[in-house]
Amino acid sequence: MSADTLEQADNENSKQSPENKKRELANALVEALARGPAAHTDKPEQSAQQPSSTAGSSEGARLMRVLALGFVLRLFILTFSSDFVSKHLSTRVELGTPVTSYNRLVEGLHLAAQGISPFDGGLFHQSPLLLILFRAPFGWLPQLFSDVLFIAADVSVALMLAKIAAKKITLPSFASRPLVPGETAFYCLPSAVAMLYLFNPLTLATCLARSTIVFSHLATVCALYFGIGGQINTSVALVAVATHLSLYPAVLIAPLSLMASGLPGRSKAGPQSPSLATGAVLPLLKFVVFFVAIHALFVLLYGFKYFSATVEFTLQVADLQPNVGLFWYFFIEIFDEFRQFFIAVFQLTALAFTVPISWRFRKDPLFGSVLLVGIVSALKSYPSWGDLSLFLGLIPIYEELVKYMQYTFLSANLLLYGVGLAPVFWHLWIEQGSGNANFFYAATLVYVFGQITLLFDLGSAQLRRQLDIEHPETRERTVVQE
């Protein structure tokens, strides 16, 4: 009897579903990432008794190696190729905009060091938080310390993306969802997510150009991580900081409010779970309080010139310096009497998708957040390649959708053509004088169209996968068009 019982137990363990194994490994990864490098010093006997913990520790060590390599590579290039970076990257309009340029940050720091308000010069349009962050490295420390701040922020973004990838598998909206019939449980390793972000050429170029967009990205991914972890107050505060730095991350408050409402796991929620109205509205009110408090503080310090030089400057698109977005060329050509109308149209277009997308993907607010990051990257007033790099860094978290995407080749080619042709057409237009603004704007149109195609494909892939899960019988049907 005992032998039969043991044999039956062994058979049950060997038949453990891949989904359960995935969840066990995910939990181990989350614990290993939470413990950090100390997780790699477990005793051999403990590791032998807990194979999942060993896998988590191994993945944690792999992640630390990826982060270290990304840090060293950036530091090496900035240290030994500083002239190349200053000449060919820091001045690129594709990498730096009036609200993210490092050169303009240096101008603001110079003015502040002389006791002059940095917002009086007409060149500085960034957050005073950056002035506070870089005051010590700029005033008393070598340039290396400023470079390390940018590198540390970029590597921290990769770390948080890896933590989001590990955390996502344990979410109720994902862990309780059945797999597509016949599908093998697999997911993108956190170290792979970090590697795809860190060694993306767009990410690397953005960091080397010292674009301050990396600090907005850090606040954004931290907000997403704490949001899916249930720490809503911290998440809302970080969204307010990201909005203060870059304005457009405000759209993320909608999916974060759905996370707070408990809607993704409402089917299993207890009677004490918050109502949808209470759970969704309260984070929004907290966000407004945080955001107003931050701006009120700096208005008191710098006067209303601060507000007009940052928030109003971004909304009104006051500087028409060329970039990889849609605004600059259009508003150069538009008549002044129509300017305010079309500014409202363009800005509302970037914000109009917030509620529909958040509600359509209310069972998975993290995915809604990913789509909103992509929409902001394509439709904001001062975009750069760094915005696209964050969107591309979030996509591997949903690697199960890759096989459902139908236009990957098209969107990849559009993005490659847009990124590749922009410097060429800029050279023909500005440096050789053999082209004109239409050349460069055509490249930006291809670039934006590639992002929109990728967004459409990613959203459609999620909907098709949900259909396969909820109605598996539709996979066997043949659609005939007459």
Side-chain angles (χ1 to χ4, degrees), residues 20 47 92 125 143 193 214 228 236 282 313 354 389 399 411:
N20 291 334
S47 300
R92 297 301 311 179
H125 306 287
Q143 175 65 36
V193 173
V214 298
I228 63 177
V236 169
L282 191 58
F313 176 87
T354 303
S389 69
E399 52 76 36
S411 56

Side-chain angles (χ1 to χ4, degrees), residues 127 129 215-217 219-220 223 235-253 256 287-288 290-292 294-295 306 310-311 314 351:
S127 167
L129 291 176
F215 297 100
S216 176
H217 289 172
T220 299
S235 177
V236 169
L238 287 168
V239 170
V241 172
T243 304
H244 172 70
L245 293 171
S246 186
L247 194 61
Y248 290 91
V251 300
L252 297 178
I253 195 60
L256 288 176
F287 167 77
V288 172
F290 280 123
F291 183 72
V292 171
I294 293 174
H295 281 283
Y306 149 75
T310 53
V311 177
T314 302
L351 303 177

